[in-house]
Amino acid sequence: MPGDGSPYTAHPPTDRAAMLEAVGAERVEDLFDVPEAVRFDGDLGIEARSERAVRREVRSVLDQNADLVEFLGRGHHAHYVPSVVDHLADRSEFLTSYTQYQPEVTQGFLQALFEYQSMLVELTGLPVANCSLYDAATALGEAALLAARVREASGETVLVPGHVAPGRRAALERYVDGAGLAVATYPMAGGTVDVAALRDVVDDDTLLVYAETPTVRGAVEPALDAVGTAADDADALFCVGSDVLALALLEPPAAAGADVVVGEADALGLGTGFGTGHGLFAAREAFLRQIPGRLVGATEDETGRRAYTLTLQTREQHIRRERATSNVCTNQAWLALRTAIHVATLGAEGMVDLAEDQVRYARDAAARLDDLPGVTAPADDAHHFREFPVRVPGDAARVRDDLRDEGFAVHAVDDDLIQVCVTEETVAGVDDLTAALAEVVS
Amino acid sequence: MSDDDRGYTFDQARWADDDGYVSLLSEAAPGRAEPGDALPDDLTRDELALPDPAEPTVVRHYTRLSALNYGVDAGPYPLGSCTMKYNPAFLEDVAALPEAAVHPDRPDESVQGVLEIQHRLQRALARIGGMDAVTLQPPAGAAGEFTGIEVTKAYHRANGEGETRSEVLVPSSAHGTNFATAAMAGYEVVELPPGDDGRVDIDALAAAVGPETAALMLTNPNTVGLFERDVVEAAELVHDAGGLLYYDGANLNALLGRARPGDMGFDVMHYNVHKTFATPHGGGGPGAGPVGVVSDLAEFLPTPHVRETDDGYERYGPERSVGKVHGFTGNWLVLLKAYAYVARLGDEGLRDTSATAVLNANYLAEQIGLDVPYGPFHHEFAATAGDRDAADLARAMLDHGVHPPTTKWPEFVHEAMLTEPTEAESRRDLDALAAAFDAAAAADDETVANAPERTAARRIDQVGAAREPRLSWQALGDENAGTGD
Ligand SMILES: Cc1ncc(COP(=O)(O)O)c(C=O)c1O
């Protein structure tokens, strides 16, 4: 009944009257202990609509989005989400529950999160994973703050690679401002870390070295352990950024000496959602009590049966307040559930196969584009996962815009480079993209 | 332990065998997959060991886990400060529209639909909060606090007062995130003791406020549901000293359409979308924590911000922006649900929401036998468990088929049971909740000590969990076989 109160309040008028009587009020307004001066008697000017009307309205507004085939990545990736993920995660026992403060009746979610943590332990090679942060960028910010808490030396600089998503770097800068840390860049060569140049930049003031594999341009980092060694030699922590699917194929970051792994887990379980993220965070055992966010542990109930519970909560804001490891409270738990279901559905075989597909999609698409006159793809020397930079003749932003007019979305990375991302969702469109690019650059 | 308190029982125990619940790993022994030749060997792992269940096994596994979990669709969930209201089913369908699933790096002119919804939501929230500009970027309430305090910091810095204003004032009754946020932003936290009436002690505030004050963080109604009657005076004190007023929007459900933080003198606030605007809590998130500011602070908001132009909508960087608090622009798929909820309710629905939430809390407080100090209440109240342990009583309530309230917080209420029924509970459910409170309070010590008995897990060894942390299958090793032996 739009216009007639909320459809989601439960009382028939008779109940409402009886309840008012029970609390000794004549009108519900009498219950508000709000001084006259700050009461709001005006209109908000928001018109109620029927459910049907709201659905139609949202759809018709969203319909204004152009119909583009997206070859876009750079930290937010389109992957096919099996139906079973939606159907299971949408069960309201999961969806309409909250943080497991009462573990006796939330064993199901706790176990799912415990299993999610276990999957990340296998994927990262690190022994402890939390059950989500907001996104990769904020997880990186938290990694830097963790480094500041555990540092033995006096370092105050977080080193990030020359290729990093501007949004990820900007969020990092905001996160570390309060701790008085600075963010600086080290150079890349041929699409991956210039290790010699990195060694020149790393010094006593370095708190944390951050490297990505795949990089924001899709390059698989071949010298991850050399980067780790450079960090270690300066007593700095080493943080690796990756994503949940790439980790199924690549050497586990722990093997290269990573102290912390951060990244996006939304690639599995969610897919494209205008940047809605799901940050993964794993770390060494030594940092267990410094980790941000929620941790689920296995224990027993009083009958001796396996049970799960949130644990080591003395790290957290609701206990430790201004001395907490982070202010995070609500996280992305339901997306962690979705990721876990997606990973379970793929299984070990399916994960590795899907990850290897991403390498082939990138390689094959690059080879196609590279055949075009004046086009170089990939525009660097690296192996790629999903995405790769493409050197185009003329202004890259203009090429991007012209491609958009043909119905394709790609990134413009700098003056000369566009970037193309191909997954199982878009691989069927590579022929058309190639034809369109041929037109645009001819 | 009777079944007739409610029309349903948890009945979760039937999913357990003698030793525990079946782990995914024991349903499907770890598969081991080795990479092929897509990449050179030195770039890849040797093998990946993860369970390899067939899809029907996955379905059974997670369906069983769902049966071991309690959500607000199943019954009352009166966690104080969490606003566990009904999440309208249609919001899920709205967020699942394929048109919503676009990439944020598309150019503006190709995502006009998304930008228009965002702009509409910015405006609706601004009106609801009495604010001039709203950013949707913060991905949760705590992230909204961080954004708001960073905006505050940027404002003071712009005025050349970045160094001197080094303190943030926080009432001791505030949520833990307020303290943690202020510290994370680099501020010293000055805690304000509560007055005798459970509200901010205005004299203590006057004594604490000064040239070093960057901001006062306040929620209103406060964390026991009491309206801070002196809020205008408090705002004057803080403003006169050159500080700003931050509003923690966790409790905005109490005031929807009836009072606005902007009108009370707040300069910056967050909205808690997963509380007030009915987006599901999802077992702990994702939520969203948009931040509203008065016009003087708008130039400091995160990048990008959405504005309307002659040709539609565009993203831009406000002049003195604090930069970013999220890699992209926040939890869009959650924000979309919030937009649909606000559109569904309109003015009348929003006002009915706050009215019914307040009526329900007052009715429930009246029905239960436990003492409820302070008052008058709005959307929530803190009962005291008296000489009982609040967490024990909460566990005893579980055996009566309801989720208990938040316990032992805020600390200034002795053995607090912070209860927020929300507008969604019917009178019958509220009566059942009251019966559960009373039955737990009346239970003998032994019953309470043994509770809960009807839940999936009985009393849980928390101390053991923390003393010897086992946070993964890998840490469980041989014990992992799933059923515990
Ligand atoms: C009063 C109060 N402030 C802040 C928060 C933090 O919000 P979030 O969990 O969305 O980060 C909460 C809830 O958890 C709260 O109850």
Side-chain angles (χ1 to χ4, degrees):
Chain A
M1 320 161 266
D4 189 18
S6 164
Y8 313 123
T9 54
H11 311 311
T14 47
D15 277 358
R16 209 174 278 264
M19 289 169 71
L20 278 171
E21 197 181 322
V23 300
E26 241 166 68
R27 306 171 321 141
V28 74
E29 285 72 19
D30 300 343
L31 296 173
F32 286 82
D33 180 34
V34 177
E36 192 78 52
V38 295
R39 279 200 202 151
F40 177 71
D41 295 319
D43 272 336
L44 297 169
I46 304 168
E47 189 199 342
R49 285 84 109 184
S50 69
E51 178 179 311
R52 180 168 177 277
V54 175
R55 283 181 72 164
R56 289 174 69 96
E57 171 191 323
V58 171
R59 166 165 280 164
S60 81
V61 174
L62 289 177
D63 255 344
Q64 299 171 77
N65 293 339
D67 201 6
L68 296 181
V69 183
E70 296 179 340
F71 292 92
L72 298 171
R74 292 180 68 86
H76 193 58
H77 297 106
H79 286 288
Y80 176 71
V81 179
S83 293
V84 71
V85 174
D86 284 330
H87 286 273
L88 291 171
D90 279 351
R91 294 180 70 84
S92 74
E93 296 84 349
F94 289 135
L95 186 64
T96 73
S97 67
Y98 193 30
T99 305
Q100 298 73 29
Y101 300 119
Q102 212 67 59
E104 304 87 351
V105 290
T106 46
Q107 284 297 301
F109 219 120
L110 285 164
Q111 184 175 330
L113 292 173
F114 179 85
E115 293 177 350
Y116 164 83
Q117 291 174 181
S118 308
M119 291 166 177
L120 280 184
V121 168
E122 171 65 14
L123 288 163
T124 62
L126 287 168
V128 188
N130 77 10
C131 60
S132 80
L133 292 172
Y134 306 131
D135 73 342
T138 55
L140 174 57
E142 293 282 12
L145 295 177
L146 181 150
R149 287 194 296 277
V150 304
R151 69 185 146 191
E152 279 157 20
S154 57
E156 293 191 338
T157 301
V158 178
L159 288 180
V160 301
H163 299 164
V164 71
R168 195 168 289 187
R169 179 180 176 140
L172 169 67
E173 285 175 351
R174 193 52 19 226
Y175 258 62
V176 301
D177 181 82
L181 308 179
V183 179
T185 305
Y186 64 84
M188 313 289 280
T192 55
V193 175
D194 182 340
V195 178
L198 168 67
R199 283 203 158 272
D200 287 341
V201 180
V202 176
D203 63 16
D204 280 357
D205 190 47
T206 307
L207 173 69
L208 180 93
V209 176
Y210 175 64
E212 297 181 337
T213 185
T215 68
V216 65
R217 297 187 183 181
V220 175
E221 179 55 59
L224 209 55
D225 34 5
V227 179
T229 306
D232 205 41
D233 288 350
D235 286 330
L237 289 201
F238 180 33
C239 176
V240 172
S242 190
D243 74 76
V244 66
L245 181 57
L247 286 169
L249 176 62
L250 303 182
E251 185 187 30
D259 297 294
V260 180
V261 176
V262 299
E264 275 302 341
D266 67 354
L268 295 183
L270 187 65
T272 312
F274 206 64
T276 302
H278 161 201
L280 65 85
F281 191 98
R284 275 188 192 292
E285 185 92 41
F287 305 145
L288 183 58
R289 289 184 160 74
Q290 289 298 334
I291 285 179
R294 310 235 187 249
L295 293 169
V296 178
T299 183
E300 291 179 347
D301 75 1
E302 65 183 353
T303 69
R305 286 200 319 218
R306 167 74 43 77
Y308 299 91
T309 184
L310 296 174
T311 194
L312 300 174
Q313 295 192 67
T314 51
R315 298 166 298 111
E316 291 190 59
Q317 44 73 30
H318 59 290
I319 313 261
R320 197 48 74 78
R321 308 214 293 187
E322 66 269 26
R323 282 182 300 281
T325 57
S326 166
N327 72 338
V328 67
C329 176
T330 295
N331 48 41
Q332 308 284 102
W334 187 65
L335 301 184
L337 170 71
R338 295 181 62 101
T339 300
I341 299 173
H342 197 164
V343 170
T345 306
L346 289 167
E349 245 0 289
M351 287 281 283
V352 171
D353 287 351
L354 184 63
E356 290 203 288
D357 286 346
Q358 309 307 314
V359 175
R360 296 197 184 95
Y361 296 149
R363 181 176 302 151
D364 295 349
R368 300 289 309 279
L369 299 178
D370 195 53
D371 281 344
L372 301 177
V375 172
T376 312
D380 60 27
D381 312 324
H383 293 281
H384 289 90
F385 189 88
R386 294 193 194 96
E387 54 200 313
F388 52 92
V390 183
R391 186 172 316 283
V392 289
D395 179 30
R398 188 195 54 81
V399 171
R400 174 201 61 196
D401 291 347
D402 289 351
L403 281 173
R404 182 201 55 219
D405 294 343
E406 302 296 320
F408 303 95
V410 301
H411 303 276
V413 177
D414 61 20
D415 291 350
D416 311 313
L417 299 178
I418 62 168
Q419 186 170 320
V420 172
C421 178
V422 185
T423 70
E424 69 281 8
E425 291 283 66
T426 48
V427 65
V430 169
D431 282 351
D432 293 340
L433 175 71
T434 309
L437 185 62
E439 282 287 310
V440 164
V441 300
S442 68
Chain B
M1 180 168 108
S2 81
D3 275 27
D4 44 35
D5 301 324
R6 306 284 300 117
Y8 59 85
T9 70
F10 282 120
D11 203 18
Q12 295 181 332
R14 83 182 176 89
W15 297 105
D17 62 15
D18 289 346
D19 299 310
Y21 298 94
V22 183
S23 131
L24 181 65
L25 203 57
S26 69
E27 301 234 31
R32 293 183 186 276
E34 288 173 22
D37 57 3
L39 284 176
D41 280 354
D42 58 334
L43 296 179
T44 62
R45 57 170 62 240
D46 297 336
E47 66 167 18
L48 181 71
L50 283 173
D52 247 334
E55 185 165 318
T57 307
V58 173
V59 170
R60 288 270 163 85
H61 180 70
Y62 287 101
T63 302
R64 199 173 52 243
L65 293 187
S66 76
L68 300 176
N69 217 62
Y70 183 85
V72 68
D73 275 7
Y77 208 133
L79 270 181
S81 207
C82 298
T83 316
M84 298 298 293
K85 59 169 68 179
Y86 170 65
N87 311 130
F90 90 103
L91 301 182
E92 297 311 304
D93 295 326
V94 170
L97 287 170
E99 294 84 352
V102 292
H103 195 287
D105 287 355
R106 281 181 174 217
D108 287 352
E109 63 277 7
S110 67
V111 283
Q112 285 297 298
V114 173
L115 300 185
E116 180 168 347
I117 298 272
Q118 290 189 334
H119 190 259
R120 288 187 189 189
L121 181 59
Q122 286 173 194
R123 288 186 17 176
L125 291 178
R127 282 190 232 123
I128 289 168
M131 292 283 143
D132 295 317
V134 172
T135 174
L136 304 178
Q137 193 172 123
E145 293 171 24
F146 180 66
T147 307
I149 294 299
E150 288 291 320
V151 163
T152 301
K153 188 159 86 182
Y155 168 81
H156 290 313
R157 280 181 183 167
N159 292 337
E161 295 192 324
E163 294 293 313
T164 46
R165 298 203 175 269
S166 58
E167 295 177 353
V168 169
L169 312 183
V170 184
S172 59
S173 62
H175 196 256
T177 50
N178 289 192
F179 300 88
T181 296
M184 189 172 157
Y187 285 107
E188 242 163 83
V189 179
V190 177
E191 190 172 330
L192 301 173
D196 292 339
D197 63 352
R199 295 171 179 80
V200 166
D201 179 341
I202 202 83
D203 295 329
L205 174 62
V209 81
E212 300 188 333
T213 305
L216 165 66
M217 297 179 85
L218 217 55
T219 182
N220 198 14
N222 72 9
T223 56
V224 290
L226 309 172
F227 194 88
E228 298 285 358
R229 293 186 191 118
D230 296 333
V231 62
V232 173
E233 211 180 328
E236 263 170 34
L237 277 173
V238 174
H239 286 154
D240 286 351
L244 297 179
L245 227 70
Y246 183 88
Y247 179 82
D248 175 340
N251 295 336
L252 189 63
N253 206 46
L255 301 182
L256 284 174
R258 298 174 183 276
R260 310 191 302 173
D263 301 336
M264 299 172 204
F266 288 95
D267 305 290
V268 47
M269 67 176 287
H270 78 258
Y271 304 78
N272 197 307
V273 151
H274 42 295
K275 298 178 184 190
T276 312
F277 300 109
T279 69
H281 281 71
V291 164
V293 294
V294 296
S295 54
D296 282 354
L297 298 178
E299 61 181 345
F300 299 104
L301 286 177
T303 300
H305 194 70
V306 179
R307 69 181 166 201
E308 193 170 9
T309 68
D310 290 345
D311 316 315
Y313 299 88
E314 70 173 13
R315 288 171 284 190
Y316 75 105
E319 206 164 322
R320 299 158 102 167
S321 173
V322 296
K324 293 186 67 68
V325 295
H326 184 268
F328 292 99
T329 53
N331 286 332
W332 154 246
L333 295 175
V334 175
L335 295 160
L336 180 55
K337 298 179 198 181
Y339 173 77
Y341 178 73
V342 171
R344 177 79 182 94
L345 291 193
D347 277 33
E348 289 296 312
L350 292 167
R351 271 196 285 272
D352 183 27
T353 297
S354 50
T356 309
V358 170
L359 175 62
N360 281 2
N362 279 275
Y363 177 78
L364 183 60
E366 194 64 41
Q367 300 301 301
I368 67 173
L370 292 176
D371 270 355
V372 185
Y374 308 113
F377 304 106
H378 294 82
H379 64 301
E380 65 187 349
F381 61 85
T384 171
D387 54 7
R388 294 302 247 302
D389 182 285
D392 279 347
L393 280 200
R395 279 187 284 265
M397 287 177 74
L398 289 170
D399 279 335
H400 298 278
V402 299
H403 195 289
T406 300
T407 56
K408 297 185 185 273
W409 184 76
E411 278 138 22
F412 76 93
V413 175
H414 177 70
E415 293 297 328
M417 302 187 81
L418 181 64
T419 310
E420 180 181 10
T422 85
E423 70 278 8
E425 299 304 328
S426 67
R427 187 180 172 202
R428 177 175 173 276
D429 281 320
L430 293 167
D431 289 341
L433 250 179
F437 267 104
D438 291 348
D444 58 53
D445 287 347
E446 198 191 326
T447 307
V448 171
N450 286 330
E453 294 187 33
R454 298 167 66 200
T455 50
R458 302 276 298 271
R459 221 166 246 259
I460 286 174
D461 181 7
Q462 302 280 358
V463 176
R467 194 188 305 128
E468 194 199 334
R470 294 178 300 172
L471 309 177
S472 63
W473 290 324
Q474 294 84 344
L476 283 175
D478 291 346
E479 273 184 74
N480 190 52
T483 51
D485 49 26

